[in-house]
Amino acid sequence: ESESAALEGIEVQESLVETGGGKRRGKRNGKAAKPHFRVEGDAATYFYDFAPDVGMLVPVRAKFCKKHGQVIGKFDHYCYLLGNSVGELNHGLFWRMLCVQVISIWLMKGIIDRHYLHFSAGSPWAAANVPLMILDVLAYVFGIPLSLVLLIHSYLAATSTTTFEFIKMEKLDYLRGFYEFSCPFSQGLCTNLRHFCCPRGLQLWARPPPESEWPETWWRNRYYSCFG
């Protein structure tokens, strides 16, 4: 389709800064401010931004990744260790990788603890345990942070949330008015886990309705809320 058709429903608003009675393009760190795009009309139900680098609308929950030059569906984060983005189709695989790493580390920790050599106090042979002590320390150094990351991503899987949305909630247009534990995209525990572990493809997510229109539950209603 033509470029004009691709830009239909998009309103471009460049960042402006008032200077001396006039207006000019805003600058950040000596560079021209990036134009801001706002999606309007029916397209705003499923899209919230426009990626000029690839010439396409950015769906709700997706993000344009400069590392790949592609739009990643249900973007979670970019993993520098793997050199790849974690999104809708591989978030479950990322969780499995974390799970295997955590189990391996703590199993190694258990094996190390069973193979310490016992000598009398002050014996020079006690130095033979130094390599095991180093491995023991490394197990804690890597095991504890990875265990916390695994717990965090387990929560994200159960609630159909992403790291990107949790951290950037206030800046994302489609999440304005929600708080960190609203979980506006949750479809129930079983459905969330099924789509997380075995996604059948990319899902086109719609903007969630205002929280005032949600059905009342025992943990969130007109009288109280368990999460704020």
Side-chain angles (χ1 to χ4, degrees), residues 50-121:
F50 178 76
D53 294 339
V54 292
M56 66 172 289
L57 295 173
V58 180
V60 170
R61 311 200 74 185
K63 180 181 182 294
F64 174 74
C65 182
K66 294 181 180 180
K67 300 287 184 181
H68 305 298
Q70 297 178 349
V71 175
I72 309 299
K74 196 183 174 185
F75 179 83
D76 187 85
H77 71 284
Y78 181 83
C79 181
Y80 286 90
L81 183 62
L82 300 177
N84 194 20
S85 293
V86 178
E88 190 163 16
L89 298 180
N90 64 351
H91 202 171
L93 295 175
F94 179 79
W95 185 92
R96 295 182 184 96
M97 182 198 69
L98 284 177
C99 188
V100 170
Q101 289 181 336
V102 170
I103 292 175
S104 300
I105 289 175
W106 294 121
L107 282 178
M108 181 195 73
K109 173 71 170 57
I111 294 173
I112 290 173
D113 291 343
R114 291 175 176 270
H115 288 79
Y116 273 101
L117 303 176
H118 300 282
F119 300 98
S120 59

Side-chain angles (χ1 to χ4, degrees), residues 1-11 37 39 43 47 49-51 54-58:
E1 296 182 359
S2 64
E3 184 176 353
S4 59
L7 294 174
E8 184 177 357
I10 306 297
E11 178 182 343
F37 298 92
V39 182
F47 303 91
D49 200 2
F50 178 76
V54 292
M56 66 172 289
L57 295 173
V58 180

Side-chain angles (χ1 to χ4, degrees), residues 6-180:
L7 294 174
E8 184 177 357
I10 306 297
E11 178 182 343
V12 182
Q13 296 181 334
E14 295 194 61
S15 177
L16 300 175
V17 178
E18 295 187 5
T19 55
K23 291 185 178 181
R24 64 179 178 84
R25 292 184 180 181
K27 292 186 176 181
R28 181 181 299 176
N29 298 328
K31 298 181 180 180
K34 181 181 178 181
H36 172 70
F37 298 92
R38 185 176 65 190
V39 182
E40 294 184 341
D42 295 338
T45 302
Y46 298 99
F47 303 91
Y48 76 101
D49 200 2
F50 178 76
D53 294 339
V54 292
M56 66 172 289
L57 295 173
V58 180
V60 170
R61 311 200 74 185
K63 180 181 182 294
F64 174 74
C65 182
K66 294 181 180 180
K67 300 287 184 181
H68 305 298
Q70 297 178 349
V71 175
I72 309 299
K74 196 183 174 185
F75 179 83
D76 187 85
H77 71 284
Y78 181 83
C79 181
Y80 286 90
L81 183 62
L82 300 177
N84 194 20
S85 293
V86 178
E88 190 163 16
L89 298 180
N90 64 351
H91 202 171
L93 295 175
F94 179 79
W95 185 92
R96 295 182 184 96
M97 182 198 69
L98 284 177
C99 188
V100 170
Q101 289 181 336
V102 170
I103 292 175
S104 300
I105 289 175
W106 294 121
L107 282 178
M108 181 195 73
K109 173 71 170 57
I111 294 173
I112 290 173
D113 291 343
R114 291 175 176 270
H115 288 79
Y116 273 101
L117 303 176
H118 300 282
F119 300 98
S120 59
S123 172
W125 291 102
N129 287 322
V130 171
L132 296 178
M133 294 174 62
I134 295 176
L135 291 176
D136 222 356
V137 172
L138 290 176
Y140 283 113
V141 170
F142 291 100
I144 293 176
L146 283 175
S147 297
L148 293 176
V149 172
L150 178 62
L151 290 175
I152 291 172
H153 282 274
S154 297
Y155 166 79
L156 298 178
T159 58
S160 188
T161 310
T162 65
T163 306
F164 176 67
E165 292 172 343
F166 193 87
I167 296 176
K168 300 289 186 179
M169 176 168 286
E170 295 181 355
K171 297 182 178 180
L172 293 175
D173 176 71
Y174 60 89
L175 288 179
R176 289 176 183 172
F178 295 99
Y179 55 92
E180 287 81 358

